[in-house]
mmCIF file of all heavy atoms in Angstrom:
data_model
loop_
_atom_site.group_PDB
_atom_site.id
_atom_site.type_symbol
_atom_site.label_atom_id
_atom_site.label_comp_id
_atom_site.label_asym_id
_atom_site.label_seq_id
_atom_site.Cartn_x
_atom_site.Cartn_y
_atom_site.Cartn_z
ATOM 1 N N TYR A 1 3.877 -61.218 -57.375
ATOM 2 C CA TYR A 1 4.188 -60.771 -56.020
ATOM 3 C C TYR A 1 4.343 -59.250 -55.992
ATOM 4 O O TYR A 1 4.589 -58.615 -57.020
ATOM 5 C CB TYR A 1 5.484 -61.425 -55.525
ATOM 6 C CG TYR A 1 6.729 -60.957 -56.244
ATOM 7 C CD1 TYR A 1 7.551 -59.973 -55.693
ATOM 8 C CD2 TYR A 1 7.081 -61.476 -57.487
ATOM 9 C CE1 TYR A 1 8.678 -59.523 -56.379
ATOM 10 C CE2 TYR A 1 8.198 -61.036 -58.166
ATOM 11 C CZ TYR A 1 8.998 -60.063 -57.605
ATOM 12 O OH TYR A 1 10.101 -59.608 -58.271
ATOM 13 N N ASP A 2 4.185 -58.684 -54.812
ATOM 14 C CA ASP A 2 4.447 -57.255 -54.596
ATOM 15 C C ASP A 2 5.838 -57.114 -54.002
ATOM 16 O O ASP A 2 6.180 -57.795 -53.032
ATOM 17 C CB ASP A 2 3.416 -56.650 -53.630
ATOM 18 C CG ASP A 2 2.020 -56.607 -54.236
ATOM 19 O OD1 ASP A 2 1.923 -56.346 -55.455
ATOM 20 O OD2 ASP A 2 1.045 -56.843 -53.505
ATOM 21 N N SER A 3 6.620 -56.231 -54.586
ATOM 22 C CA SER A 3 7.992 -56.020 -54.126
ATOM 23 C C SER A 3 8.051 -54.766 -53.258
ATOM 24 O O SER A 3 7.547 -53.713 -53.651
ATOM 25 C CB SER A 3 8.905 -55.858 -55.346
ATOM 26 O OG SER A 3 10.231 -55.660 -54.939
ATOM 27 N N ILE A 4 8.639 -54.892 -52.071
ATOM 28 C CA ILE A 4 8.770 -53.752 -51.157
ATOM 29 C C ILE A 4 10.242 -53.552 -50.842
ATOM 30 O O ILE A 4 10.876 -54.401 -50.208
ATOM 31 C CB ILE A 4 7.969 -53.985 -49.849
ATOM 32 C CG1 ILE A 4 6.485 -54.229 -50.173
ATOM 33 C CG2 ILE A 4 8.136 -52.810 -48.887
ATOM 34 C CD1 ILE A 4 5.655 -54.745 -49.021
ATOM 35 N N ASP A 5 10.812 -52.444 -51.325
ATOM 36 C CA ASP A 5 12.220 -52.149 -51.071
ATOM 37 C C ASP A 5 12.378 -51.493 -49.706
ATOM 38 O O ASP A 5 11.713 -50.497 -49.400
ATOM 39 C CB ASP A 5 12.784 -51.233 -52.159
ATOM 40 C CG ASP A 5 13.361 -52.023 -53.325
ATOM 41 O OD1 ASP A 5 13.417 -53.265 -53.223
ATOM 42 O OD2 ASP A 5 13.742 -51.417 -54.337
ATOM 43 N N GLU A 6 13.246 -52.079 -48.906
ATOM 44 C CA GLU A 6 13.513 -51.585 -47.556
ATOM 45 C C GLU A 6 14.737 -50.675 -47.544
ATOM 46 O O GLU A 6 15.708 -50.912 -48.261
ATOM 47 C CB GLU A 6 13.780 -52.769 -46.609
ATOM 48 C CG GLU A 6 12.548 -53.554 -46.222
ATOM 49 C CD GLU A 6 11.715 -52.846 -45.155
ATOM 50 O OE1 GLU A 6 12.272 -52.031 -44.394
ATOM 51 O OE2 GLU A 6 10.511 -53.125 -45.094
ATOM 52 N N ASP A 7 14.674 -49.641 -46.702
ATOM 53 C CA ASP A 7 15.854 -48.832 -46.392
ATOM 54 C C ASP A 7 16.455 -49.431 -45.126
ATOM 55 O O ASP A 7 15.910 -49.284 -44.036
ATOM 56 C CB ASP A 7 15.441 -47.369 -46.167
ATOM 57 C CG ASP A 7 16.606 -46.499 -45.701
ATOM 58 O OD1 ASP A 7 17.747 -47.018 -45.606
ATOM 59 O OD2 ASP A 7 16.376 -45.305 -45.417
ATOM 60 N N LEU A 8 17.584 -50.133 -45.269
ATOM 61 C CA LEU A 8 18.126 -50.893 -44.137
ATOM 62 C C LEU A 8 18.760 -50.011 -43.064
ATOM 63 O O LEU A 8 19.058 -50.479 -41.971
ATOM 64 C CB LEU A 8 19.123 -51.943 -44.639
ATOM 65 C CG LEU A 8 18.498 -53.005 -45.561
ATOM 66 C CD1 LEU A 8 19.534 -53.999 -46.027
ATOM 67 C CD2 LEU A 8 17.331 -53.711 -44.889
ATOM 68 N N SER A 9 18.944 -48.719 -43.381
ATOM 69 C CA SER A 9 19.416 -47.801 -42.341
ATOM 70 C C SER A 9 18.241 -47.253 -41.523
ATOM 71 O O SER A 9 18.414 -46.619 -40.492
ATOM 72 C CB SER A 9 20.195 -46.632 -42.967
ATOM 73 O OG SER A 9 19.343 -45.880 -43.816
ATOM 74 N N ASN A 10 17.032 -47.540 -42.005
ATOM 75 C CA ASN A 10 15.826 -47.102 -41.299
ATOM 76 C C ASN A 10 14.749 -48.161 -41.536
ATOM 77 O O ASN A 10 13.827 -47.974 -42.312
ATOM 78 C CB ASN A 10 15.385 -45.723 -41.818
ATOM 79 C CG ASN A 10 14.170 -45.201 -41.089
ATOM 80 O OD1 ASN A 10 13.909 -45.554 -39.942
ATOM 81 N ND2 ASN A 10 13.398 -44.362 -41.761
ATOM 82 N N LYS A 11 14.902 -49.291 -40.845
ATOM 83 C CA LYS A 11 14.058 -50.463 -41.104
ATOM 84 C C LYS A 11 12.591 -50.188 -40.767
ATOM 85 O O LYS A 11 12.286 -49.592 -39.742
ATOM 86 C CB LYS A 11 14.575 -51.654 -40.300
ATOM 87 C CG LYS A 11 15.963 -52.087 -40.757
ATOM 88 C CD LYS A 11 16.586 -53.110 -39.839
ATOM 89 C CE LYS A 11 18.010 -53.413 -40.296
ATOM 90 N NZ LYS A 11 18.708 -54.326 -39.415
ATOM 91 N N SER A 12 11.719 -50.671 -41.638
ATOM 92 C CA SER A 12 10.281 -50.441 -41.455
ATOM 93 C C SER A 12 9.745 -51.304 -40.315
ATOM 94 O O SER A 12 10.285 -52.381 -40.026
ATOM 95 C CB SER A 12 9.534 -50.766 -42.746
ATOM 96 O OG SER A 12 9.498 -52.170 -42.949
ATOM 97 N N PRO A 13 8.657 -50.848 -39.679
ATOM 98 C CA PRO A 13 8.012 -51.682 -38.665
ATOM 99 C C PRO A 13 7.592 -53.047 -39.219
ATOM 100 O O PRO A 13 7.626 -54.044 -38.515
ATOM 101 C CB PRO A 13 6.783 -50.861 -38.259
ATOM 102 C CG PRO A 13 7.143 -49.437 -38.587
ATOM 103 C CD PRO A 13 8.020 -49.521 -39.805
ATOM 104 N N LEU A 14 7.225 -53.084 -40.519
ATOM 105 C CA LEU A 14 6.818 -54.354 -41.142
ATOM 106 C C LEU A 14 7.981 -55.346 -41.158
ATOM 107 O O LEU A 14 7.808 -56.521 -40.832
ATOM 108 C CB LEU A 14 6.318 -54.103 -42.572
ATOM 109 C CG LEU A 14 5.865 -55.348 -43.357
ATOM 110 C CD1 LEU A 14 4.676 -56.021 -42.677
ATOM 111 C CD2 LEU A 14 5.519 -54.978 -44.798
ATOM 112 N N LEU A 15 9.191 -54.867 -41.521
ATOM 113 C CA LEU A 15 10.361 -55.755 -41.553
ATOM 114 C C LEU A 15 10.670 -56.289 -40.155
ATOM 115 O O LEU A 15 10.901 -57.489 -39.972
ATOM 116 C CB LEU A 15 11.576 -55.011 -42.111
ATOM 117 C CG LEU A 15 12.905 -55.778 -42.078
ATOM 118 C CD1 LEU A 15 12.815 -57.085 -42.855
ATOM 119 C CD2 LEU A 15 14.054 -54.924 -42.620
ATOM 120 N N VAL A 16 10.657 -55.405 -39.167
ATOM 121 C CA VAL A 16 10.969 -55.806 -37.786
ATOM 122 C C VAL A 16 9.919 -56.786 -37.268
ATOM 123 O O VAL A 16 10.238 -57.759 -36.574
ATOM 124 C CB VAL A 16 11.075 -54.564 -36.874
ATOM 125 C CG1 VAL A 16 11.282 -54.968 -35.420
ATOM 126 C CG2 VAL A 16 12.216 -53.658 -37.344
ATOM 127 N N GLN A 17 8.669 -56.551 -37.650
ATOM 128 C CA GLN A 17 7.578 -57.441 -37.217
ATOM 129 C C GLN A 17 7.691 -58.814 -37.888
ATOM 130 O O GLN A 17 7.490 -59.848 -37.245
ATOM 131 C CB GLN A 17 6.238 -56.788 -37.576
ATOM 132 C CG GLN A 17 5.015 -57.649 -37.279
ATOM 133 C CD GLN A 17 3.768 -57.127 -37.995
ATOM 134 O OE1 GLN A 17 3.657 -55.944 -38.294
ATOM 135 N NE2 GLN A 17 2.839 -58.021 -38.282
ATOM 136 N N CYS A 18 8.053 -58.821 -39.182
ATOM 137 C CA CYS A 18 8.084 -60.086 -39.946
ATOM 138 C C CYS A 18 9.355 -60.884 -39.706
ATOM 139 O O CYS A 18 9.364 -62.101 -39.887
ATOM 140 C CB CYS A 18 7.936 -59.793 -41.434
ATOM 141 S SG CYS A 18 6.300 -59.231 -41.884
ATOM 142 N N ASN A 19 10.441 -60.206 -39.329
ATOM 143 C CA ASN A 19 11.695 -60.901 -39.048
ATOM 144 C C ASN A 19 12.279 -60.356 -37.747
ATOM 145 O O ASN A 19 13.316 -59.687 -37.740
ATOM 146 C CB ASN A 19 12.680 -60.722 -40.210
ATOM 147 C CG ASN A 19 13.920 -61.596 -40.058
ATOM 148 O OD1 ASN A 19 14.044 -62.347 -39.099
ATOM 149 N ND2 ASN A 19 14.839 -61.485 -40.996
ATOM 150 N N PRO A 20 11.596 -60.643 -36.618
ATOM 151 C CA PRO A 20 12.033 -60.070 -35.333
ATOM 152 C C PRO A 20 13.367 -60.623 -34.847
ATOM 153 O O PRO A 20 14.032 -59.990 -34.026
ATOM 154 C CB PRO A 20 10.893 -60.460 -34.378
ATOM 155 C CG PRO A 20 10.268 -61.669 -34.991
ATOM 156 C CD PRO A 20 10.408 -61.496 -36.473
ATOM 157 N N VAL A 21 13.784 -61.786 -35.344
ATOM 158 C CA VAL A 21 15.031 -62.401 -34.869
ATOM 159 C C VAL A 21 16.246 -61.701 -35.487
ATOM 160 O O VAL A 21 17.134 -61.226 -34.786
ATOM 161 C CB VAL A 21 15.056 -63.914 -35.189
ATOM 162 C CG1 VAL A 21 16.388 -64.529 -34.763
ATOM 163 C CG2 VAL A 21 13.896 -64.618 -34.483
ATOM 164 N N TYR A 22 16.281 -61.633 -36.828
ATOM 165 C CA TYR A 22 17.455 -61.065 -37.507
ATOM 166 C C TYR A 22 17.244 -59.632 -37.995
ATOM 167 O O TYR A 22 18.212 -58.912 -38.242
ATOM 168 C CB TYR A 22 17.849 -61.941 -38.702
ATOM 169 C CG TYR A 22 18.345 -63.305 -38.309
ATOM 170 C CD1 TYR A 22 17.612 -64.446 -38.597
ATOM 171 C CD2 TYR A 22 19.551 -63.462 -37.627
ATOM 172 C CE1 TYR A 22 18.062 -65.711 -38.242
ATOM 173 C CE2 TYR A 22 20.005 -64.716 -37.262
ATOM 174 C CZ TYR A 22 19.267 -65.836 -37.574
ATOM 175 O OH TYR A 22 19.722 -67.075 -37.208
ATOM 176 N N LYS A 23 15.959 -59.268 -38.191
ATOM 177 C CA LYS A 23 15.623 -57.921 -38.695
ATOM 178 C C LYS A 23 16.350 -57.624 -40.012
ATOM 179 O O LYS A 23 16.867 -56.539 -40.233
ATOM 180 C CB LYS A 23 15.943 -56.832 -37.651
ATOM 181 C CG LYS A 23 15.231 -57.036 -36.314
ATOM 182 C CD LYS A 23 15.614 -55.975 -35.306
ATOM 183 C CE LYS A 23 14.898 -56.156 -33.992
ATOM 184 N NZ LYS A 23 15.261 -57.389 -33.277
ATOM 185 N N LYS A 24 16.427 -58.655 -40.881
ATOM 186 C CA LYS A 24 17.134 -58.528 -42.156
ATOM 187 C C LYS A 24 16.206 -58.896 -43.309
ATOM 188 O O LYS A 24 15.196 -59.573 -43.115
ATOM 189 C CB LYS A 24 18.346 -59.477 -42.194
ATOM 190 C CG LYS A 24 19.445 -59.139 -41.204
ATOM 191 C CD LYS A 24 20.732 -59.908 -41.495
ATOM 192 C CE LYS A 24 20.543 -61.403 -41.546
ATOM 193 N NZ LYS A 24 21.817 -62.152 -41.661
ATOM 194 N N ILE A 25 16.609 -58.460 -44.494
ATOM 195 C CA ILE A 25 15.933 -58.910 -45.713
ATOM 196 C C ILE A 25 16.746 -60.052 -46.301
ATOM 197 O O ILE A 25 17.914 -60.219 -45.939
ATOM 198 C CB ILE A 25 15.783 -57.738 -46.740
ATOM 199 C CG1 ILE A 25 17.131 -57.069 -47.017
ATOM 200 C CG2 ILE A 25 14.786 -56.724 -46.251
ATOM 201 C CD1 ILE A 25 17.823 -57.577 -48.215
ATOM 202 N N PRO A 26 16.149 -60.872 -47.154
ATOM 203 C CA PRO A 26 14.772 -60.812 -47.643
ATOM 204 C C PRO A 26 13.792 -61.491 -46.684
ATOM 205 O O PRO A 26 14.179 -62.357 -45.897
ATOM 206 C CB PRO A 26 14.847 -61.577 -48.958
ATOM 207 C CG PRO A 26 15.924 -62.596 -48.730
ATOM 208 C CD PRO A 26 16.937 -61.925 -47.850
ATOM 209 N N VAL A 27 12.547 -61.049 -46.803
ATOM 210 C CA VAL A 27 11.444 -61.723 -46.112
ATOM 211 C C VAL A 27 10.334 -61.946 -47.143
ATOM 212 O O VAL A 27 9.958 -61.016 -47.859
ATOM 213 C CB VAL A 27 10.894 -60.891 -44.934
ATOM 214 C CG1 VAL A 27 9.688 -61.593 -44.308
ATOM 215 C CG2 VAL A 27 11.966 -60.636 -43.888
ATOM 216 N N LEU A 28 9.852 -63.169 -47.227
ATOM 217 C CA LEU A 28 8.709 -63.482 -48.079
ATOM 218 C C LEU A 28 7.469 -63.541 -47.191
ATOM 219 O O LEU A 28 7.492 -64.193 -46.146
ATOM 220 C CB LEU A 28 8.916 -64.829 -48.776
ATOM 221 C CG LEU A 28 7.842 -65.215 -49.805
ATOM 222 C CD1 LEU A 28 8.007 -64.417 -51.092
ATOM 223 C CD2 LEU A 28 7.886 -66.710 -50.113
ATOM 224 N N ILE A 29 6.421 -62.835 -47.610
ATOM 225 C CA ILE A 29 5.145 -62.889 -46.882
ATOM 226 C C ILE A 29 4.128 -63.558 -47.798
ATOM 227 O O ILE A 29 3.834 -63.059 -48.888
ATOM 228 C CB ILE A 29 4.667 -61.482 -46.472
ATOM 229 C CG1 ILE A 29 5.745 -60.752 -45.668
ATOM 230 C CG2 ILE A 29 3.368 -61.575 -45.663
ATOM 231 C CD1 ILE A 29 5.462 -59.280 -45.428
ATOM 232 N N HIS A 30 3.631 -64.709 -47.381
ATOM 233 C CA HIS A 30 2.683 -65.475 -48.183
ATOM 234 C C HIS A 30 1.400 -65.662 -47.395
ATOM 235 O O HIS A 30 1.396 -66.342 -46.364
ATOM 236 C CB HIS A 30 3.289 -66.839 -48.559
ATOM 237 C CG HIS A 30 2.384 -67.684 -49.396
ATOM 238 N ND1 HIS A 30 2.302 -69.050 -49.270
ATOM 239 C CD2 HIS A 30 1.494 -67.341 -50.381
ATOM 240 C CE1 HIS A 30 1.416 -69.522 -50.122
ATOM 241 N NE2 HIS A 30 0.912 -68.509 -50.811
ATOM 242 N N ASN A 31 0.330 -65.019 -47.874
ATOM 243 C CA ASN A 31 -0.970 -65.069 -47.180
ATOM 244 C C ASN A 31 -0.831 -64.742 -45.690
ATOM 245 O O ASN A 31 -1.382 -65.431 -44.825
ATOM 246 C CB ASN A 31 -1.625 -66.439 -47.373
ATOM 247 C CG ASN A 31 -2.015 -66.690 -48.820
ATOM 248 O OD1 ASN A 31 -2.221 -65.750 -49.587
ATOM 249 N ND2 ASN A 31 -2.092 -67.949 -49.210
ATOM 250 N N GLY A 32 -0.050 -63.690 -45.412
ATOM 251 C CA GLY A 32 0.090 -63.199 -44.036
ATOM 252 C C GLY A 32 1.168 -63.879 -43.214
ATOM 253 O O GLY A 32 1.485 -63.438 -42.113
ATOM 254 N N LYS A 33 1.728 -64.978 -43.731
ATOM 255 C CA LYS A 33 2.785 -65.686 -42.982
ATOM 256 C C LYS A 33 4.148 -65.280 -43.541
ATOM 257 O O LYS A 33 4.346 -65.269 -44.764
ATOM 258 C CB LYS A 33 2.606 -67.196 -43.104
ATOM 259 C CG LYS A 33 1.326 -67.704 -42.449
ATOM 260 C CD LYS A 33 1.128 -69.180 -42.732
ATOM 261 C CE LYS A 33 -0.173 -69.680 -42.093
ATOM 262 N NZ LYS A 33 -0.481 -71.063 -42.477
ATOM 263 N N SER A 34 5.101 -64.996 -42.657
ATOM 264 C CA SER A 34 6.405 -64.518 -43.116
ATOM 265 C C SER A 34 7.467 -65.609 -42.993
ATOM 266 O O SER A 34 7.489 -66.383 -42.039
ATOM 267 C CB SER A 34 6.817 -63.280 -42.320
ATOM 268 O OG SER A 34 6.808 -63.535 -40.939
ATOM 269 N N ILE A 35 8.350 -65.647 -43.999
ATOM 270 C CA ILE A 35 9.466 -66.602 -44.034
ATOM 271 C C ILE A 35 10.739 -65.790 -44.263
ATOM 272 O O ILE A 35 10.802 -64.963 -45.174
ATOM 273 C CB ILE A 35 9.294 -67.647 -45.173
ATOM 274 C CG1 ILE A 35 7.949 -68.358 -45.051
ATOM 275 C CG2 ILE A 35 10.425 -68.664 -45.154
ATOM 276 C CD1 ILE A 35 6.861 -67.792 -45.917
ATOM 277 N N SER A 36 11.768 -66.030 -43.437
ATOM 278 C CA SER A 36 13.017 -65.269 -43.505
ATOM 279 C C SER A 36 14.175 -66.174 -43.910
ATOM 280 O O SER A 36 14.086 -67.399 -43.803
ATOM 281 C CB SER A 36 13.329 -64.644 -42.135
ATOM 282 O OG SER A 36 12.241 -63.872 -41.681
ATOM 283 N N GLU A 37 15.278 -65.525 -44.300
ATOM 284 C CA GLU A 37 16.530 -66.160 -44.727
ATOM 285 C C GLU A 37 16.357 -66.744 -46.137
ATOM 286 O O GLU A 37 15.506 -67.600 -46.374
ATOM 287 C CB GLU A 37 16.997 -67.256 -43.757
ATOM 288 C CG GLU A 37 17.396 -66.715 -42.395
ATOM 289 C CD GLU A 37 18.617 -65.800 -42.465
ATOM 290 O OE1 GLU A 37 19.708 -66.248 -42.827
ATOM 291 O OE2 GLU A 37 18.446 -64.604 -42.156
ATOM 292 N N SER A 38 17.203 -66.296 -47.072
ATOM 293 C CA SER A 38 16.984 -66.609 -48.487
ATOM 294 C C SER A 38 16.985 -68.107 -48.792
ATOM 295 O O SER A 38 16.181 -68.575 -49.604
ATOM 296 C CB SER A 38 18.010 -65.881 -49.359
ATOM 297 O OG SER A 38 19.323 -66.310 -49.081
#
């Protein structure tokens, strides 16, 4: 897997797009589909 470290004081557009409900990490992206909440 590719690991992407987020700066939670300045959330990336990718994080907000992949987890629009909570806007939190972790998010797993598998073949373009995102899954949130550990």
Side-chain angles (χ1 to χ4, degrees):
Y1 68 98
D2 292 323
S3 180
I4 302 168
D5 270 354
E6 286 282 335
D7 174 3
L8 297 180
S9 62
N10 182 26
K11 295 171 184 176
S12 72
L14 180 62
L15 174 58
V16 175
Q17 176 196 333
C18 290
N19 189 1
V21 177
Y22 294 112
K23 303 178 179 65
K24 294 193 305 187
I25 53 96
V27 176
L28 185 75
I29 305 170
H30 181 217
N31 294 336
K33 295 174 181 173
S34 55
I35 305 97
S36 305
E37 294 295 296
S38 63

